[in-house]
Amino acid sequence: MRNRLFAGLALVTLIAPASAEEPRAISVPGNPILADGDYYSTDPAPFVADGALWILAGRDQAPADVNDFIMGEWQLLRTDDPKSGKWVHYPDIARPENIFAWAEEARAYAGQIVQGPDKRYYFYAPVLEKDSDAQDRFAIGVAVADSPAGPWRDAHPAGPIISQRVPVKNDIQNIDPTVLIDDDGRVYLYWGTFGQLRGIELERDMVTPRGPERSIEGLTGFFEAPWIMKRKGVYYMLYAGNRAGPKSDCTPAVYYACIAYGTASSPMGPWTYAGVALKPVSSTTSHPGAVEFNGQWYLAYHTADAKGGGHFRRSVALDRMEWDDSVTPARIRTVVPTLRPQPPLPPTRNIAPAASASASNDPVPVQYWIRALNDGITKAAPLPPDLWGSWSPDNPASQWIEYRWDKVVTLNGSRIWFWNDQPAGSGVGVAPPAAWRLEYWRGHGKGGWKPVPGASAYGTAPGGFQAVSFPPIRTRCLRAVLTASGDGKSHAGLAVQEWEALAPDAAMPVADKAAAGKAGDSPGCG
Ligand code: FUB
């Protein structure tokens, strides 16, 4: 009796409940699919099962001011027709510590569910290994279930199938698995992050590593989040790429990933970079999952677009992915992200989003993003690309940032939000400016850059808006000239999270925030 009781308990601990919460039907008018901020959803991995389109997703649970991936559980979304906007949400279908006896909680990273040849579902899940002395404890486990919603149980109770220890030693962070069952039944697993992509063949049992662990090369700018798929005999690898720089077709800011892709004619390559499938979105990370459903291809990705969203509070979106079959191999046409209909923006005096922004430190260091100046977004804990910044090993005493409008505008105020990691008076790091002033471009008479006359005091405190008002001026260009903080020996860098230019009266703002920061066609102001 006692033994049977213990056997029963063991079974309970090895099989995770199908879902701690009941599935709920939702009707959504567009992206993000879960938009109200109750459930953030991340790292989408779509698949087709039982005639429906499913998306496996993680769940971001970080508080708004915490910059960390706090991810306690996985969830599912299911629809019979993405166009219908009708989804079923299965919250909390699995947690690392419930499936894998060897796993720690709160790091339910990007997984993928694949139906095996035995018709059961295999869930490749990156989690933290509890009792490991590895320098990086992320490891990939495999769970199995008879249906996508579970219950899930460890398919390899001996431990992870990939880690820094198994099947061979490696020194990478072992996350972001993606799996392909090829037409001949052979199974391939790829994974990796921080520029390291690995691949290995698995046995047809979907679990046992079979081949050598290989480094995958040729995918330019690979950062993380690989997604393997095959179409018309060609292997496609989508991934989060961060080949940054002003001339990059991928991303201008190193923190922000695009979704890039490459092609190959055999699963282990050689791979050839092929282009960008999705430009950077509102979250710094980007994570692809592509699938064909009822004859239409879709790209699932995540953004920071949900209510209260952020880089660590991401939400899944789904858009159509089209092919250009006029070339060989076929190209993925860059996906056009869509957003659910938005309420009209309230009138505002801030006309900065209608300007193009530039700065004296051109090109702006790749960790920052000039577009942050007038994107209308302020955050409690911004990351570098949420800022324009000028930090460099040798900071100059003065910098400027500039707005340029296509036509003459009237201004009578401005607000600026400085960011710092060092106090005023510092000669290192990033400090609030010692002083700043506004200048405007006067195009007639004794033209040139002139101090804005009659301006009120220029506050320098960081962490909130500093407001300046002045009698109306008419101009096409406005500059904030910033004097760096210094300690007599060196100067600190400068950073601004948002800079507003205020018209006398509220006007409808320019809705296209994506246009913010792009170079305009209008001539410069000197
Ligand atoms: O969600 C945690 C990590 O962020 C994923 O593993 C990466 O792909 C990135 O999306």
Side-chain angles (χ1 to χ4, degrees):
M1 182 66 188
R2 198 180 149 82
N3 282 347
R4 284 178 64 176
L5 178 64
F6 274 111
L9 281 178
L11 196 66
V12 169
T13 54
L14 283 177
I15 299 181
S19 174
E21 291 174 55
E22 288 304 311
R24 57 182 188 128
I26 52 174
S27 184
V28 301
N31 290 317
I33 297 173
L34 301 176
D36 58 12
D38 288 352
Y39 288 87
Y40 296 107
S41 55
T42 183
D43 300 329
F47 58 100
V48 176
D50 303 331
L53 172 62
W54 298 73
I55 303 177
L56 169 72
R59 180 178 179 192
D60 275 348
Q61 295 170 297
D65 59 350
V66 171
N67 287 343
D68 194 6
F69 297 115
I70 312 293
M71 305 173 72
E73 60 206 40
W74 290 280
Q75 49 193 335
L76 282 169
L77 294 159
R78 177 173 65 78
T79 185
D80 295 329
D81 176 10
K83 286 192 299 299
S84 71
K86 292 193 169 61
W87 291 83
V88 180
H89 176 212
Y90 299 72
D92 197 6
I93 58 145
R95 296 178 183 213
E97 70 279 18
N98 290 349
I99 309 178
F100 306 112
W102 47 268
E104 219 169 270
E105 57 190 23
R107 302 284 173 181
Y109 271 31
Q112 185 178 358
I113 293 174
V114 175
Q115 191 170 27
D118 58 0
K119 302 292 171 218
R120 295 192 301 169
Y121 295 90
Y122 289 85
F123 179 7
Y124 299 83
V127 294
L128 270 187
E129 203 178 352
K130 257 195 301 209
D131 300 312
S132 162
D133 55 7
Q135 164 259 334
D136 188 293
R137 292 186 295 122
F138 269 105
I140 297 169
V142 191
V144 63
D146 293 326
S147 93
W152 293 96
R153 67 178 171 78
D154 195 343
H156 189 253
I161 63 163
I162 304 286
S163 74
Q164 286 198 340
R165 288 181 293 109
V166 294
V168 292
K169 279 194 174 153
N170 73 30
D171 59 359
I172 71 165
Q173 186 172 87
N174 294 287
I175 62 168
D176 288 3
T178 179
V179 169
L180 174 78
I181 305 176
D182 209 346
D183 304 332
D184 59 5
R186 293 171 74 175
V187 184
Y188 299 91
L189 165 68
Y190 307 81
W191 74 98
T193 183
F194 291 111
Q196 298 285 336
L197 178 58
R198 296 289 151 91
I200 198 168
E201 185 173 352
L202 299 181
E203 297 289 357
R204 291 169 194 228
D205 66 2
M206 306 290 287
V207 175
T208 311
R210 172 194 167 99
E213 185 173 311
R214 296 173 202 265
S215 285
I216 307 287
E217 309 293 342
L219 296 169
T220 309
F222 173 83
F223 181 62
E224 61 180 1
W227 180 267
I228 182 75
M229 60 192 209
K230 191 176 183 184
R231 179 181 180 265
K232 296 189 177 174
V234 178
Y235 299 85
Y236 288 83
M237 187 78 78
L238 278 68
Y239 56 95
N242 65 0
R243 193 160 47 101
K247 297 214 162 37
S248 163
D249 62 344
C250 169
T251 175
V254 74
Y255 270 62
Y256 273 92
C258 72
I259 300 298
Y261 73 102
T263 59
S265 54
S266 80
M268 286 296 167
W271 288 91
T272 306
Y273 176 76
V276 172
L278 181 73
K279 291 182 178 160
V281 292
S282 49
S283 53
T284 47
T285 60
S286 201
H287 193 110
V291 71
E292 185 179 16
F293 178 61
N294 289 343
Q296 172 66 51
W297 279 84
Y298 294 92
L299 180 71
Y301 55 98
H302 61 220
T303 68
D305 293 340
K307 186 175 169 195
H311 305 311
F312 301 90
R313 291 152 76 91
R314 302 160 293 176
S315 298
V316 168
L318 186 78
D319 275 303
R320 291 159 72 110
M321 189 171 91
E322 309 291 352
W323 295 89
D324 177 1
D325 282 306
S326 69
V327 289
T328 309
R331 276 185 55 250
I332 296 172
R333 293 189 199 278
T334 304
V335 170
V336 180
T338 61
L339 206 54
R340 56 175 66 197
Q342 302 292 301
L345 294 168
T348 170
R349 289 173 58 208
N350 178 24
I351 59 169
S356 59
S358 59
S360 50
N361 62 336
D362 182 28
V364 173
V366 290
Q367 71 270 33
Y368 301 117
W369 207 351
I370 187 78
R371 141 178 171 172
L373 279 180
N374 55 346
D375 63 2
I377 300 170
T378 54
K379 294 198 168 112
L383 292 177
D386 299 317
L387 310 164
W388 162 81
S390 73
W391 185 87
S392 75
D394 184 18
N395 297 302
S398 178
Q399 297 274 357
W400 50 258
I401 48 181
E402 180 182 318
Y403 285 148
R404 186 197 310 168
W405 289 269
D406 283 342
K407 51 181 185 272
V408 171
V409 296
T410 304
L411 300 169
N412 72 342
S414 176
R415 301 200 308 162
I416 196 163
W417 185 310
F418 297 111
W419 183 88
N420 70 313
D421 61 13
Q422 299 296 321
S426 173
V428 296
V430 175
W436 69 287
R437 66 179 185 277
L438 289 167
E439 294 185 354
Y440 73 108
W441 178 256
R442 197 163 74 186
H444 59 276
K446 287 191 177 159
W449 287 104
K450 306 287 175 195
V452 166
S456 60
Y458 289 101
T460 57
F465 275 117
Q466 296 297 319
V468 180
S469 57
F470 44 86
I473 52 165
R474 286 183 50 77
T475 188
R476 246 182 0 89
C477 299
L478 185 71
R479 269 187 186 178
V481 181
L482 314 170
T483 305
S485 167
D487 59 7
K489 291 193 279 258
S490 56
H491 292 97
L494 293 151
V496 173
Q497 188 170 174
E498 191 71 21
W499 177 34
E500 296 181 349
L502 305 177
D505 300 307
M508 286 307 289
V510 173
D512 181 13
K513 283 190 185 160
K518 282 190 192 150
D521 294 331
S522 56
C525 293

